[in-house]
Amino acid sequence: DGGITQSPKYLFRKEGQNVTLSCEQNLNHDAMYWYRQDPGQGLRLIYYSQIVNDFQKGDIAEGYSVSREKKESFPLTVTSAQKNPTAFYLCASSIGAGAESPLHFGNGTRLTVT
Amino acid sequence: DQQVKQNSPSLSVQEGRISILNCDYTNSMFDYFLWYKKYPAEGPTFLISISSIKDKNEDGRFTVFLNKSAKHLSLHIVPSQPGDSAVYFCAARSNFGNEKLTFGTGTRLTIIP
């Protein structure tokens, strides 16, 4: 049963700590994405990767880092430099090249930093 | 700068009636548009899409209309069912550059039984 798995579903951290959110996909998709959802702001792109060992900054990359060592995995690290880290984080993937490839989303990780 | 706008944060519709969700965009380079549906604490699921070479695309109860001159698209759901209650996101993509999706802020649709 193919899909995108994000873990954990809920995550709590103290301010000043780095935290890594996991995203794994078995859809054999080339492209992977990280979005953040905040109330009233829709989904905003943090980072994306179109191929293994390559990734680009999205619209709100400051305070975040990613890696893409394997096709299946695209972990996101929320660093202590991110000023407002509490949010709902969504990972997505798509077949890749071409505009007409819808994103498939995981079920998200809700991060709370206190 | 919000390039994709959904000006109605919420919408309530009687079960069985038509639901119309609207979306406006400003970037004339967008040429592919998608609608996603999202339930609470879940990821969005793809619903329907339309290319800029078309003005209508239909899939069962869902129809998306595109008016390029007005930079406006709409999603029609007929007939509306209680399971349609969710947040709907409009998204747009340009076929130039990095092909990333730009999302609107969402409209919460509530179907009243």
Side-chain angles (χ1 to χ4, degrees), chain A residues 49-105:
Chain A
S49 167
Q50 293 179 307
I51 197 169
V52 174
N53 292 323
D54 188 43
F55 49 82
Q56 287 79 39
K57 293 182 179 179
D59 300 317
I60 54 165
E62 186 176 347
Y64 299 98
S65 67
V66 293
S67 63
R68 187 84 188 278
E69 297 176 2
K70 298 187 299 182
K71 187 175 185 178
E72 307 79 32
S73 179
F74 191 41
L76 173 75
T77 297
V78 184
T79 75
S80 56
Q82 167 52 231
K83 295 178 182 176
N84 296 296
T86 294
F88 187 53
Y89 290 87
L90 287 159
C91 179
S93 70
S94 68
I95 289 172
E100 299 188 12
S101 53
L103 300 187
H104 298 261
F105 283 88

Side-chain angles (χ1 to χ4, degrees), chain B residues 34-72:
Chain B
L34 307 90
W35 284 94
Y36 283 83
K37 175 181 179 180
K38 185 182 180 301
Y39 293 119
E42 292 184 9
T45 53
F46 170 70
L47 202 54
I48 192 169
S49 62
I50 187 166
S51 166
S52 59
I53 62 174
K54 297 182 178 179
D55 55 17
K56 176 183 173 181
N57 189 27
E58 193 171 352
D59 183 3
R61 295 186 298 115
F62 303 91
T63 303
V64 56
F65 296 92
L66 175 63
N67 183 334
K68 283 189 68 178
S69 60
K71 293 192 178 67
H72 176 84

Side-chain angles (χ1 to χ4, degrees), chain B residues 5-51:
Chain B
K5 301 178 185 179
Q6 293 177 258
N7 292 319
S8 298
S10 62
L11 176 68
S12 294
V13 174
Q14 205 78 31
E15 182 179 357
R17 302 280 190 139
I18 182 172
S19 295
I20 300 176
L21 295 94
N22 293 303
C23 179
D24 297 291
Y25 61 96
T26 56
N27 189 342
S28 58
M29 300 302 287
F30 288 148
D31 64 354
Y32 188 64
F33 304 89
L34 307 90
W35 284 94
Y36 283 83
K37 175 181 179 180
K38 185 182 180 301
Y39 293 119
E42 292 184 9
T45 53
F46 170 70
L47 202 54
I48 192 169
S49 62
I50 187 166
S51 166

